[in-house]
Amino acid sequence: MLLLDTASLYFRAFFGVPDIRAEDGTPVNAVRGLLEFITRLVNDYSPTDLVCCWDNDWRPQWRVDLIPSYKSHRVVEELETAPDVEEVPDPLQVQVPIIREVLAAAGICVIGADGYEADDVIGTLATGAGMPVDVVTGDRDLFQLVDDAAGVRILYPTRGVSDPDLVDEKWVLAKYGISAAQYADFATMRGDTSDGLPGVKGVGEKTAAKLLEQYGDLEGIIAAVADPTTSLTKAQRQKFIDAVSYLSVAPKVVAVARDIPLDRSNTALPSAPADKERLHELAATYNLASPVARLEAALARV
């Protein structure tokens, strides 16, 4: 099964593919790029199942309630009855509905969940999938899902989807000096400015990894802070004491959900478009003939 962090990929396509327009002037570089990504992934990995995981809510209120700074720097407009509006370049924003239409016509499964991010959808689908799972994402937070025994790994496109890093437990250990199971605690301590997570001030990746090696997990580190007989320095103890409020809520924010009730019945990759006529209409309207033809050819080989 291939699980795609769809927004991560269409953002990558938007910034990586030259400006291309439909006849009416509508930009379509993100649409074309995403289709090319999917085609390449299908050809390279021959999945039986493929899901474009969707951000129904890119900034869930329950995470904001716990850490108000969560993704706050990306908010353009706060809404009371709907997800906040994210800062997205206008030429990309207009392409998102087209992406949804094309994926539907192609028969590519799209799954989102109200009140959750695509990361949470991915976490849920990857857990207990009953088959090997490759998650395609540029988001390091999903390294917490890596599990060799369950056959879950990350395809991390540092250079592009054609040559991603294959992130398994050995890769995580070599890169960060921790186990994949420790990654969420590691990320909690390190923090992430791109998500508005401050982390534990003064605790970077090397210190976080060393503490996890010594004490196993964040709970063990916090217990060590409270125990005067442990080898923590006075400065290290103070850093965690100062961050106690953050640490009381951050693990829940950082951990991806794994138990959302989702319909898993339609994840199989089709061998032909669900609505070929509509797909070809969209291809003609939005200058997508070539990428659509390549996608159809890839599906036919499934």
Side-chain angles (χ1 to χ4, degrees), residues 122-133:
I122 291 169
T124 296
L125 292 174
T127 301
M131 66 182 83
V133 175

Side-chain angles (χ1 to χ4, degrees), residues 59 63-64 66-73 140-141 184-205 208 239-240 242-251 253-254:
R59 187 176 183 248
R63 283 192 166 106
V64 176
L66 293 171
I67 299 182
S69 64
Y70 184 65
K71 296 185 177 179
S72 60
H73 59 293
R140 295 181 300 170
D141 287 344
D185 285 346
F186 173 79
T188 296
M189 288 185 281
R190 177 194 62 200
D192 188 342
T193 56
S194 68
D195 281 342
L197 299 175
V200 178
K201 188 175 181 180
V203 174
E205 291 190 352
K239 289 171 184 175
F240 281 88
D242 292 344
V244 64
S245 295
Y246 166 77
L247 291 172
S248 69
V249 294
V253 174
V254 172

Side-chain angles (χ1 to χ4, degrees), residues 251-279:
K252 185 175 181 180
V253 174
V254 172
V256 299
R258 296 176 184 244
D259 57 357
I260 308 170
L262 297 174
D263 180 2
R264 301 172 181 245
S265 62
N266 298 306
T267 64
L269 186 67
S271 58
D275 188 340
K276 188 169 185 175
E277 181 178 353
R278 179 57 179 156
L279 183 60

Side-chain angles (χ1 to χ4, degrees), residues 7-30:
S8 173
L9 293 179
Y10 66 61
F11 265 91
R12 179 177 291 271
F14 175 74
F15 288 107
V17 176
D19 183 39
I20 301 173
R21 303 270 169 164
E23 188 174 341
D24 66 358
T26 302
V28 293
N29 60 330

Side-chain angles (χ1 to χ4, degrees), residues 81-96:
T81 58
D84 292 337
V85 179
E86 183 180 12
E87 182 179 12
V88 177
D90 289 343
L92 173 56
Q93 189 65 55
V94 299
Q95 298 184 61
V96 176

Side-chain angles (χ1 to χ4, degrees), residues 3 5-6 15 17 27 39-40 42 61 67 77 116 132 135 143 145 151 157 171 200 211 229 247 260 275 288:
L3 301 177
D5 184 356
T6 315
F15 288 107
V17 176
T39 297
R40 175 60 69 100
V42 170
Q61 188 60 46
I67 299 182
E77 181 182 1
Y116 292 94
V135 176
F143 291 175
L145 298 176
W171 189 98
V200 178
L211 292 173
T229 67
L247 291 172
I260 308 170
D275 188 340
L288 303 172

Side-chain angles (χ1 to χ4, degrees), residues 172-223:
V172 174
L173 181 61
K175 178 72 173 178
Y176 298 109
I178 58 170
S179 69
Q182 293 173 314
Y183 191 85
D185 285 346
F186 173 79
T188 296
M189 288 185 281
R190 177 194 62 200
D192 188 342
T193 56
S194 68
D195 281 342
L197 299 175
V200 178
K201 188 175 181 180
V203 174
E205 291 190 352
K206 290 183 179 179
T207 300
K210 183 177 180 181
L211 292 173
L212 287 169
E213 181 182 12
Q214 288 180 282
Y215 301 108
D217 56 21
L218 183 56
E219 185 176 340
I221 295 169
I222 292 172

